[in-house]
Amino acid sequence: MNRSSIQEKVGINKYEIDEGNSHIHIDQEKCANCVEKSCLYICPAGVYSERNGDIIPEFAACLECGTCRVACANEGLTWFYPRGSFGIIYRQG
Ligand code: SF4
């Protein structure tokens, strides 16, 4: 049996990017006061980064797992599914 790595499985997915319409919104004021900043570590796709003290979500790479929504202790992010026909298209389950 030929096993694929996680990176290989994620790499074959297709993304329909809703340019200019992020489904992730950040409240920078709340995030600035957050000590944990769990979004930076918990996202399996590495969507979040910190630049000059701001949290930046690269929403186009989102796997739509919802982990960040649950993990954010400060209610600093608002997360919805992308609009219909946008977002990730899984090709291997
Ligand atoms: Fe990352 Fe999952 Fe949140 Fe998308 S929903 S940003 S993949 S943790």
Side-chain angles (χ1 to χ4, degrees):
M1 177 185 222
N2 196 6
R3 292 189 155 209
S4 305
S5 68
I6 295 288
Q7 288 78 11
E8 287 169 333
K9 287 180 179 174
V10 169
I12 62 171
N13 293 327
K14 187 178 170 208
Y15 298 84
E16 290 294 339
I17 301 167
D18 194 359
E19 291 289 350
N21 278 315
S22 177
H23 63 286
I24 303 170
H25 299 276
I26 302 295
D27 184 331
Q28 298 294 352
E29 243 177 76
K30 286 184 180 174
C31 294
N33 295 317
C34 177
V35 176
E36 294 88 5
K37 293 189 182 5
S38 55
C39 59
L40 298 177
Y41 309 101
I42 207 160
C43 174
V47 163
Y48 297 93
S49 61
E50 190 172 17
R51 243 177 276 151
N52 301 323
D54 285 348
I55 300 296
I56 310 296
E58 300 293 343
F59 74 96
C62 179
L63 302 172
E64 299 173 28
C65 67
T67 305
C68 55
R69 185 180 178 189
V70 174
C72 178
N74 253 355
E75 298 178 354
L77 66 90
T78 308
W79 187 98
F80 296 99
Y81 280 107
R83 295 190 300 154
S85 80
F86 290 104
I88 191 165
I89 299 162
Y90 285 98
R91 290 186 161 157
Q92 198 172 45

